[in-house]
Amino acid sequence: MQRCPQAKGLESIEPLVRSVEETPDPIPTTITGTIPSWINGSFLRNGPGKFEFGKDRYTHWFDGMAMMHRFHICEGNVTYSSRFLRSDSYISNSEKNRIVVSEFGTLAMPDPCKNIFARFFSRFQVPKATDNASVNFVKYKGDYYVSTETNYMRRVDPQSLETKEKVDWSQYIAVNSATAHPHYDREGATYNMGNSYGKSGFFYNVIRVPPPGEKATEDSADLDGAKVICSIRAAEPRKPSYFHSFVMSENYIVFIEQPIKLDLLKFMLYRIQGKSFHKVMTWDPQYETIFHLVDRHTGKQSEVKYRAAPMFTLHQINAFEEDGFLVMDMCCGDDGEVIGDFTLENLRRGPGEEMDKFYNSLCRNLPRRYVLPLTVDEQTPLDQNLVTLHKYTATAKKTKPREVGVYMTHEELHDDELLQYGGLEFPQINYNQYNGRPYRYFYSCGFGHVFADSLLKMDVHTKELKVWRYPGLYPSEPVFVASPKATEEDDGVVLSVIVTPREEKSTFLLVLDAKTFTELGRAEVPVTIPFGTHGVFNEMG
């Protein structure tokens, strides 16, 4: 087990989880260096931005109200605007000036105006899912939505950041939720995964939303044609796995059933006991990790059961097929206890010993490569390494004669050098050109603190790193934008929003040359932005 060094003397990041005001009208920024004039579009970011209503406070970082940010880049100039998502949750909470809608880690308390019997019985109603979509910006049929992990999304205007209608997945297809990390194919279709549960069990469903057709004239959400192309039965119907994303290559989708379990009985009880949702997720390493392989075109699930040691993964890097193998790269950890730890109390710990103790208790996530053999059948010999591509050290062995089972071990997709940056997360690639294809580079955040404190570029061929890191600066997930005449994979720029707890209103958009990983320019904006989640670049014609 490789260990990242223990941290000592970490600074407080409390200012990065404070509520802020919105900036609905675009304001100018101050440019230093140069922003390449070919960048034409908007960098859209999402994340929590309000952590209390009246006297009520949220418990968990994920609970904060969604705030959308837009850096509009045109001809070397940049403007900034932001808006709170006008979700039903935000509006109800604002009107009552208290927390009315339950979130991931915060249970809304019964209305104090109700009598004791009404309050007691309100405990027995299953809470309505929230539409506080603070995780990502996603695209379906050419429209932008903001998304979290419930059955609700919100359509938004990527120019004005105006909130449009609420969309309920379960009105279109038989799922109760969908992830905030869909994949897109080259024809413009969107793929996602969502849960469903009923009398016949618990299922993980692969969803396909077709490409945009002829655009209807009315301005409204359109998920028509959305279909479940494959339903994967949960190995443990009462303890299904939590998942945040999934794998997609040119021809396959892989769903990773990991040992972070949702306890459905607890889920039913949690409302009655007044416990919040993050308490129903448990890390259960007695279960192995199962990889379910699905043909993306036919929706047919492979008979082969691919397994590996217990691990958890939130974010995929990339996956591609090569000579009868599927190579899958992802950020992984060996201890899935962490998701519930991101309470605001923990994030607001004082500097030094308090913060060090919390950071050192967290698991470091590291990039791994699994290589899955695609041509396994009854004739495949037992107990020998099936990964015959010599450049990979990952292994796969057939373990059971009758039911076809394959046990996989991973290759570490990094050298020891990465450990000093605290492992990495929030990986991004040149998605438009290289997703699902052999690739060489990914960009990510290094975690030398509880929040990212460096930007990294990894060469997966040589495992060499390029690094951007300055004390007191905390970068967001890096997003790659290809230059218009790009011929190489890393021809372009990397965008990241940099925040600091050290002084107020000193946020900037950083533009790095993707090839050299050096700064081209920055756009300073006189606002405070809290640490956020994910973002996208919306190209303008």
Side-chain angles (χ1 to χ4, degrees):
M1 206 22 230
Q2 301 148 310
R3 299 304 312 159
C4 296
Q6 297 281 292
K8 202 165 158 41
L10 293 177
E11 68 183 323
S12 163
I13 50 171
E14 186 272 331
L16 304 182
V17 288
R18 280 186 202 155
S19 299
V20 295
E21 299 295 315
E22 58 183 4
T23 309
D25 298 317
I27 56 170
T29 61
T30 308
I31 309 281
T32 49
T34 49
I35 310 285
S37 58
W38 56 261
I39 307 175
N40 183 17
S42 300
F43 186 26
L44 303 171
R45 298 253 324 136
N46 201 344
K50 183 170 171 63
F51 300 97
E52 63 285 305
F53 283 94
K55 293 198 177 77
D56 290 359
R57 289 183 171 18
Y58 287 116
T59 309
H60 201 283
W61 179 54
F62 299 163
D63 300 341
M65 292 290 102
M67 189 178 208
M68 302 173 283
H69 307 267
R70 178 179 185 252
F71 287 87
H72 183 60
I73 311 169
C74 183
E75 316 239 301
N77 284 313
V78 181
T79 60
Y80 169 79
S81 56
S82 66
R83 277 191 170 187
F84 282 110
L85 179 70
R86 297 305 195 266
S87 59
D88 291 356
S89 305
Y90 179 90
I91 289 167
S92 313
N93 294 337
S94 301
E95 282 169 357
K96 294 268 188 348
N97 198 30
R98 65 185 191 85
I99 295 171
V100 187
V101 181
S102 294
E103 299 291 343
F104 175 74
T106 306
L107 204 73
M109 289 325 281
D111 187 336
C113 308
K114 285 183 179 169
N115 70 37
I116 188 160
F117 289 108
R119 279 212 312 247
F120 178 74
F121 285 112
S122 72
R123 275 270 170 98
F124 290 88
Q125 293 158 349
V126 173
K128 260 198 4 240
T130 181
D131 63 336
N132 174 38
S134 63
V135 180
N136 206 352
F137 276 87
V138 298
K139 233 177 159 173
Y140 294 98
K141 291 188 158 192
D143 282 337
Y144 276 97
Y145 296 80
V146 283
S147 174
T148 173
E149 302 191 310
T150 66
N151 54 315
Y152 295 121
M153 299 188 295
R154 276 280 180 173
R155 198 164 68 95
V156 293
D157 181 321
Q159 262 73 51
S160 67
L161 301 182
E162 184 193 341
T163 303
K164 303 204 167 209
E165 69 270 49
K166 177 160 97 166
V167 176
D168 179 351
W169 275 106
S170 64
Q171 299 298 305
Y172 289 88
I173 45 175
V175 298
N176 320 62
S177 67
T179 82
H181 289 290
H183 274 294
Y184 308 97
D185 70 16
R186 291 188 169 75
E187 290 67 55
T190 307
Y191 293 80
N192 205 339
M193 292 207 54
N195 294 332
S196 63
Y197 40 93
K199 287 192 176 63
S200 55
F202 192 103
F203 294 90
Y204 313 108
N205 303 288
V206 181
I207 305 161
R208 179 182 185 272
V209 179
E214 293 304 307
K215 199 62 184 148
T217 43
E218 76 268 21
D219 176 30
S220 64
D222 170 21
L223 292 181
D224 288 339
K227 284 213 310 263
V228 169
I229 62 168
C230 179
S231 291
I232 299 162
R233 185 181 284 278
E236 287 280 321
R238 285 189 176 173
K239 282 195 171 177
S241 293
Y242 169 76
F243 58 98
H244 187 78
S245 65
F246 60 98
V247 178
M248 187 168 100
S249 69
E250 296 264 25
N251 296 297
Y252 296 98
I253 279 172
V254 178
F255 170 68
I256 299 167
E257 195 170 9
Q258 57 190 358
I260 296 182
K261 297 294 185 178
L262 300 172
D263 189 323
L264 292 187
L265 291 177
K266 267 193 196 162
F267 188 71
M268 304 305 172
L269 285 170
Y270 92 112
R271 178 65 182 180
I272 301 165
Q273 297 169 343
K275 285 199 180 109
S276 63
F277 184 68
H278 74 284
K279 300 271 198 304
V280 307
M281 285 166 57
T282 52
W283 169 242
D284 214 341
Q286 72 190 48
Y287 296 103
E288 290 179 311
T289 306
I290 306 171
F291 296 76
H292 299 272
L293 178 70
V294 177
D295 182 307
R296 176 160 88 79
H297 309 293
T298 65
K300 192 171 155 11
Q301 192 180 343
S302 165
E303 303 283 306
V304 183
K305 280 283 163 274
Y306 298 93
R307 299 179 349 272
M311 62 86 169
F312 81 96
T313 177
L314 294 175
H315 298 113
Q316 309 307 311
I317 304 169
N318 200 4
F320 57 90
E321 295 148 47
E322 183 180 359
D323 300 335
F325 295 90
L326 177 57
V327 180
M328 302 180 292
D329 298 344
M330 60 196 81
C331 296
C332 300
D334 288 316
D335 176 6
E337 299 280 6
V338 298
I339 294 185
D341 289 341
F342 278 69
T343 60
L344 289 162
E345 185 184 12
N346 277 336
L347 295 174
R348 289 170 175 160
R349 286 184 180 208
E353 205 176 327
E354 283 290 287
M355 187 50 94
D356 296 350
K357 204 163 138 191
F358 174 49
Y359 172 80
N360 290 330
S361 75
L362 296 172
C363 168
R364 302 287 158 264
N365 289 3
L366 297 165
R368 281 181 187 171
R369 172 166 279 175
Y370 289 90
V371 180
L372 187 147
L374 293 167
T375 50
V376 180
D377 55 28
E378 274 90 54
Q379 271 64 58
T380 306
L382 287 178
D383 293 326
Q384 68 181 52
N385 182 13
L386 304 175
V387 182
T388 48
L389 300 173
H390 295 305
K391 55 182 160 182
Y392 301 130
T393 58
T395 69
K397 288 181 181 170
K398 186 173 153 187
T399 50
K400 293 183 180 159
R402 265 197 294 280
E403 70 144 25
V404 183
V406 171
Y407 192 82
M408 306 194 294
T409 68
H410 62 271
E411 171 181 337
E412 304 290 356
L413 204 56
H414 62 88
D415 282 338
D416 286 355
E417 187 195 357
L418 174 61
L419 302 179
Q420 72 195 48
Y421 298 106
L424 58 82
E425 254 298 343
F426 292 152
Q428 286 282 337
I429 58 170
N430 177 345
Y431 190 95
N432 292 349
Q433 295 302 319
Y434 288 85
N435 189 57
R437 294 176 173 170
Y439 75 115
R440 183 162 184 175
Y441 303 108
F442 71 86
Y443 311 94
S444 64
C445 287
F447 277 80
H449 201 313
V450 175
F451 283 159
D453 68 342
S454 63
L455 291 169
L456 306 172
K457 176 188 183 181
M458 173 71 82
D459 180 333
V460 298
H461 291 181
T462 65
K463 300 185 183 176
E464 285 173 309
L465 282 179
K466 286 186 163 62
V467 183
W468 185 93
R469 187 187 204 182
Y470 292 92
L473 298 182
Y474 295 81
S476 74
E477 170 187 70
V479 169
F480 176 84
V481 183
S483 69
K485 299 189 175 68
T487 53
E488 291 180 295
E489 183 182 341
D490 57 354
D491 275 355
V493 296
V494 167
L495 305 177
S496 175
V497 177
I498 313 295
V499 295
T500 178
R502 297 187 180 187
E503 49 187 311
E504 291 213 331
K505 300 189 172 177
S506 49
T507 301
F508 61 94
L509 172 68
L510 174 69
V511 182
L512 296 176
D513 178 324
K515 216 177 240 325
T516 61
F517 223 54
T518 53
E519 181 173 339
L520 293 170
R522 58 176 70 179
E524 295 169 35
V525 55
V527 294
T528 299
I529 298 181
F531 192 76
T533 46
H534 297 284
V536 296
F537 184 73
N538 177 29
E539 267 173 69
M540 312 294 286

